Amino acid sequence: MSFLLDSCLMFFSQVLFFAGGWVFFLKQLFKDYEVHHSVVLLVFSITFALSCTMFELIIFEILGFLESSSRYFHWKLGLYAFLFVLVAILPFYIGYFIIGNLRFAPQKRHIRVLMTTGAWLAFLYFFWKIGDPFPILSPKHGIFSIEQCIGRIGVIGVTLMAVLSGFGAVNYPYTSMFYFIRAVTETDVQNIEKRLMQTMDMILMKKKRIALARQERLKQATINKSQGGLWGMISKVTSGSGSSENMSMLKQETEAYEELAKQLFLESVDLHNAQVKFWSQQISFLLIGIIIVTSIRGLLITLTRFFYAIASSKSSNVIVLCLAQLMGMYFVSSVLLIRMNMPQEYRSIITEVLGDLQFNFYHRWFDVIFLVSALSSIGFLYIAHKQAPEKNGY
């Protein structure tokens, strides 16, 4: 594809993402509130579109879709636009609407703008100081380099992701840890399939014997009926008891083998699912797609619940902008973490665009915060569970 065609395709997809954010804002977040400021709707939709664009470019990297130079350009353009929104636009408007809700603050427009500018400069100072305790950058980076901004957003976003993930994972930690998943070899698969086939042969043999025994019983019953008299009754009792016992034993053995075959089949399916050996690109695309869809869906659900819990007619604009800020940082951090889950050949452009960051630090930081969040969530849920019966007793 030419660069112009690639750019048209990216623009079209961004328009769709923008429309999706617009509809979600009106139909979900603000369906019970009047929209007082169109700029809130506009900024939220732009943030949503840029977030989805980041994930779209990740999928394009795996598929090799668009030209490499085009993907690099749109990575750069999207990332710079995203950082400008997160560091400049969103904090400024958050401060503007907070000051507007303060009763003691002057409501003259130029004074509000001056006060907002001061608040935004204070935000920049604290935003800059966040990165000082963390080993996120190399000393060679300049003060205005893109790594300075991404590194600090990454710390905040990864912390947010880890807290949410730790809280959501308290019910199934063991099923999500790779440590508990054993490696699967081709020999394991062949052995389980061999046992399954042997079990199926045994079931087939038992069912043949049951069919022959049933046929023999019918034949014997016909003979006994034709003979009649005392001799027929005696032969019916003697032959019927033996065949009945044989039939009952065969049925029990068949049921046991069928249950074994069921377990072996399920184990065979699990072993096959554990092998992603010859389909790395397709499996990578599928797994990254699942991560992207579940991340977007889960975050939007969380944002919606949080908004309805604390929003009011006065604070709704500020809360939406704050949620957009968290959403943007969340998705930028998702790109940092998803990069590690991608095969080496698909990372080059993403690594070049993000710059010389300490990627391993973010994964270690995520693990630490995830563990703290999960353990804390277990403690809070345990306390809540212990207090619930006491409340119900009154």
Side-chain angles (χ1 to χ4, degrees), residues 51 99 247 352:
S51 301
I99 293 173
M247 285 276 289
E352 187 176 356

Side-chain angles (χ1 to χ4, degrees), residues 50-79:
L50 292 173
S51 301
C52 294
T53 301
M54 295 291 102
F55 284 149
E56 180 187 37
L57 288 171
I58 290 178
I59 294 177
F60 286 173
E61 288 294 327
I62 297 174
L63 295 178
F65 191 67
L66 306 183
E67 293 182 358
S68 177
S69 59
S70 298
R71 296 198 305 270
Y72 180 81
F73 172 80
H74 289 289
W75 266 114
K76 278 285 189 180
L77 179 63
L79 194 58

Side-chain angles (χ1 to χ4, degrees), residues 126-138:
F126 288 108
F127 176 75
W128 184 267
K129 297 299 290 184
I130 285 177
D132 291 347
F134 300 100
I136 56 179
L137 299 174
S138 173

Side-chain angles (χ1 to χ4, degrees), residues 101-122:
N101 290 333
L102 298 177
R103 293 182 178 180
F104 59 85
Q107 296 304 310
K108 293 183 179 180
R109 186 176 180 85
H110 66 282
I111 298 179
R112 284 181 63 183
V113 171
L114 288 176
M115 294 179 66
T116 302
T117 303
W120 179 68
L121 292 175

Side-chain angles (χ1 to χ4, degrees), residues 345-361:
E345 59 268 25
Y346 307 132
R347 297 184 191 176
S348 56
I349 291 182
I350 299 178
T351 303
E352 187 176 356
V353 170
L354 294 178
D356 186 19
L357 297 176
Q358 303 297 326
F359 293 103
N360 290 330
F361 160 76

Side-chain angles (χ1 to χ4, degrees), residues 76-334:
K76 278 285 189 180
L77 179 63
L79 194 58
Y80 275 106
F82 211 171
L83 295 178
F84 179 73
V85 170
L86 293 178
V87 178
I89 301 298
L90 279 170
F92 184 86
Y93 276 107
I94 290 172
Y96 182 82
F97 286 114
I98 289 177
I99 293 173
N101 290 333
L102 298 177
R103 293 182 178 180
F104 59 85
Q107 296 304 310
K108 293 183 179 180
R109 186 176 180 85
H110 66 282
I111 298 179
R112 284 181 63 183
V113 171
L114 288 176
M115 294 179 66
T116 302
T117 303
W120 179 68
L121 292 175
F123 162 79
L124 288 182
Y125 173 78
F126 288 108
F127 176 75
W128 184 267
K129 297 299 290 184
I130 285 177
D132 291 347
F134 300 100
I136 56 179
L137 299 174
S138 173
K140 64 182 180 180
H141 294 137
I143 190 173
F144 295 111
S145 63
I146 190 174
E147 289 87 356
Q148 297 281 1
C149 189
I150 296 178
R152 286 160 172 78
I153 289 178
V155 170
I156 301 173
V158 169
T159 303
L160 173 65
M161 288 183 65
V163 170
L164 294 177
S165 300
F167 179 78
V170 292
N171 291 326
Y172 50 91
Y174 292 105
T175 60
S176 60
M177 291 184 180
F178 184 77
Y179 177 80
F180 297 98
I181 303 176
R182 67 184 182 93
V184 178
T185 64
E186 191 66 29
T187 304
D188 296 329
V189 177
Q190 292 176 356
N191 290 337
I192 200 70
E193 289 180 347
K194 183 178 179 180
R195 291 180 58 193
L196 178 60
M197 293 303 299
Q198 291 174 347
T199 305
M200 296 300 293
D201 290 338
M202 291 294 295
I203 293 173
L204 182 61
M205 184 181 68
K206 296 291 183 182
K207 289 191 173 183
K208 284 183 179 179
R209 292 178 59 184
I210 291 175
L212 291 175
R214 186 178 290 115
Q215 185 178 2
E216 185 65 25
R217 287 184 60 182
L218 292 175
K219 182 180 179 180
Q220 191 66 37
T222 304
I223 295 174
N224 294 338
K225 185 177 180 181
S226 63
Q227 288 180 349
L230 181 60
W231 178 254
M233 293 179 60
I234 294 174
S235 61
K236 179 180 181 181
V237 172
T238 56
S239 63
S241 61
S243 62
S244 176
E245 183 180 358
N246 189 33
M247 285 276 289
S248 177
M249 184 180 299
L250 288 173
K251 287 182 178 179
Q252 291 179 1
E253 292 177 354
T254 303
E255 290 176 358
Y257 278 116
E258 286 178 342
E259 183 64 26
L260 177 59
K262 177 182 177 182
Q263 298 299 326
L264 291 174
F265 175 76
L266 294 176
E267 187 174 352
S268 175
V269 172
D270 291 337
L271 292 178
H272 276 291
N273 290 337
Q275 289 184 315
V276 299
K277 186 175 181 181
F278 299 105
W279 300 92
S280 60
Q281 181 174 352
Q282 288 77 2
I283 296 299
S284 298
F285 171 72
L286 177 63
L287 293 179
I288 296 300
I290 292 174
I291 293 173
I292 290 170
V293 172
T294 54
S295 296
I296 294 175
R297 178 181 179 274
L299 184 64
L300 291 181
I301 291 175
T302 303
L303 293 182
T304 303
R305 291 175 179 173
F306 183 76
F307 177 79
Y308 283 133
I310 65 175
S312 65
S313 58
K314 286 188 175 181
S315 64
S316 56
N317 291 319
V318 176
I319 293 173
V320 167
L321 291 175
C322 291
L323 295 181
Q325 180 82 18
L326 294 177
M327 179 175 65
M329 292 184 174
Y330 179 94
F331 286 131
V332 169
S333 303
S334 297

